[in-house]
């Protein structure tokens, strides 16, 4: 079963618009980690953020912000004032702490963000 | 070199060829991973090594053979591949396999085309 759902396949925006990427996860663990990665056209996945399940405080880093809500099992990502360089595929991932999964990353299908000038 | 490097960046091979993909991490990490990324499919975890021991083999066909001679290097040996094996192969490393230091850092990938 898919543990991480990124329902948006592609989002197209014009530069300077805000864009929010949705991520819904599923786990029975009380301890887990959530991640966001960016994959630009060059192919390399770039680590953006890790959040543990006990820290629901929202985080802002420059134009990036993350909204973690355990009540809805969501970890959404917002890019404010988007730029062309933000064009990439963005992946949400879950790492569970159970013995069987040893913390491996379970990725969503990704959301393609296209920012046009 | 910094981070995670992969060579070659692009590889075209015939179905009868034997080739190897190389990954090197310069981060002092203990765990290394191979992923396959095909078009329109989620990232697929192939192999995991922790302290040079294979931790997981996700039902990967035997035509893919991993090797981890030390904690900094990871290879993926390829032989008798099929056209459906064409994909982007990504290597990653993490400080630990699990726990608070498990974020993975990825290399740029090898774009493999099997003719």
């Amino acid at each position: 079963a898919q543990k991480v759902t990124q329902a948006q396949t592609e989002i197209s925006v014009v530069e300077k618009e805000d864009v929010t990427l949705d991520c819904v996860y599923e786990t029975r663990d009380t301890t887990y980690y959530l991640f966001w990665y960016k994959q630009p056209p060059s192919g390399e996945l770039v680590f953006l953020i890790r959040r543990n399940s006990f820290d629901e405080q929202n985080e802002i880093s420059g134009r990036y912000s993350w909204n973690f809500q355990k009540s809805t099992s969501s970890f959404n990502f917002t890019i404010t004032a988007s730029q062309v360089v933000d064009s990439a595929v963005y992946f949400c991932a879950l790492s569970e702490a159970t013995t069987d999964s040893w913390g491996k990353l379970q990725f969503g299908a990704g959301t393609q963000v296209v920012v046009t000038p | 070199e910094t981070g995670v490097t992969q060579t070659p960046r692009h590889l075209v091979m015939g179905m009868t060829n034997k080739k190897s993909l190389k990954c090197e991490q310069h981060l002092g990490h203990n765990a290394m991973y191979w992923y396959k990324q095909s078009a329109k499919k989620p990232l697929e975890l192939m192999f995991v090594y922790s302290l040079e021991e294979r931790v997981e083999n996700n039902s990967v066909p035997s035509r893919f053979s991993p090797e981890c001679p030390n904690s900094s290097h990871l290879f993926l040996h390829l032989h008798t591949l099929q056209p459906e094996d064409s994909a982007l192969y990504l290597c990653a490393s993490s400080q630990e396999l699990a726990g608070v230091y498990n974020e993975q850092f990825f290399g740029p990938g090898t774009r493999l085309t099997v003719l």
Side-chain angles (χ1 to χ4, degrees):
Chain A
Q2 187 73 9
K3 295 241 180 179
V4 179
T5 302
Q6 294 180 255
Q8 304 148 307
T9 305
E10 181 172 328
I11 301 175
S12 294
V13 296
V14 176
E15 212 170 15
K16 297 185 183 177
E17 288 183 343
D18 297 348
V19 55
T20 296
L21 310 180
D22 299 332
C23 174
V24 175
Y25 62 92
E26 179 186 331
T27 180
R28 295 181 181 176
D29 286 7
T30 55
T31 301
Y32 53 89
Y33 299 91
L34 295 163
F35 302 79
W36 276 96
Y37 284 85
K38 172 184 179 180
Q39 187 177 36
S42 60
E44 178 177 351
L45 268 80
V46 178
F47 167 75
L48 294 178
I49 190 172
R50 182 191 64 200
R51 177 52 53 90
N52 75 59
S53 53
F54 298 106
D55 183 4
E56 287 194 71
Q57 193 170 12
N58 291 331
E59 182 156 340
I60 298 174
S61 175
R63 295 183 298 106
Y64 295 168
S65 62
W66 291 270
N67 182 4
F68 177 29
Q69 292 195 346
K70 288 178 74 171
S71 60
T72 55
S73 297
S74 65
F75 187 43
N76 297 337
F77 172 32
T78 297
I79 304 172
T80 303
S82 60
Q83 301 176 1
V84 173
V85 292
D86 296 326
S87 296
V89 180
Y90 291 85
F91 291 93
C92 180
L94 166 70
S95 170
E96 297 170 296
T98 58
T99 303
D100 287 347
S101 63
W102 54 258
K104 65 182 174 184
L105 292 184
Q106 300 169 82
F107 286 89
T111 297
Q112 172 83 57
V113 173
V114 179
V115 182
T116 54
Chain B
E1 293 280 15
T2 58
V4 181
T5 58
Q6 289 185 243
T7 55
R9 295 293 309 277
H10 300 273
L11 178 62
V12 179
M13 58 186 290
M15 293 168 60
T16 58
N17 292 157
K18 288 185 180 181
K19 296 286 184 183
S20 295
L21 309 185
K22 178 183 176 182
C23 174
E24 184 173 1
Q25 58 97 358
H26 310 267
L27 301 168
H29 288 171
N30 292 320
M32 296 188 77
Y33 313 77
W34 278 118
Y35 287 87
K36 176 183 178 183
Q37 187 178 30
S38 304
K40 308 297 183 184
K41 285 187 177 180
L43 279 157
E44 300 173 54
L45 179 63
M46 299 175 72
F47 301 105
V48 182
Y49 279 82
S50 176
L51 297 172
E52 300 141 52
E53 296 290 326
R54 191 188 305 182
V55 173
E56 184 152 328
N57 174 350
N58 263 353
S59 303
V60 179
S62 59
R63 57 185 183 271
F64 295 92
S65 174
E67 179 190 0
C68 187
N70 55 62
S71 59
S72 298
H73 293 87
L74 186 64
F75 295 89
L76 188 62
H77 304 298
L78 317 171
H79 64 97
T80 326
L81 293 192
Q82 305 297 313
E84 60 263 29
D85 297 322
S86 298
L88 180 67
Y89 289 84
L90 291 160
C91 174
S93 71
S94 62
Q95 186 170 339
E96 297 177 356
L97 193 60
V100 297
Y101 298 111
N102 68 337
E103 63 262 35
Q104 294 177 24
F105 294 87
F106 285 78
T110 295
R111 176 71 63 186
L112 174 66
T113 303
V114 181
L115 302 176

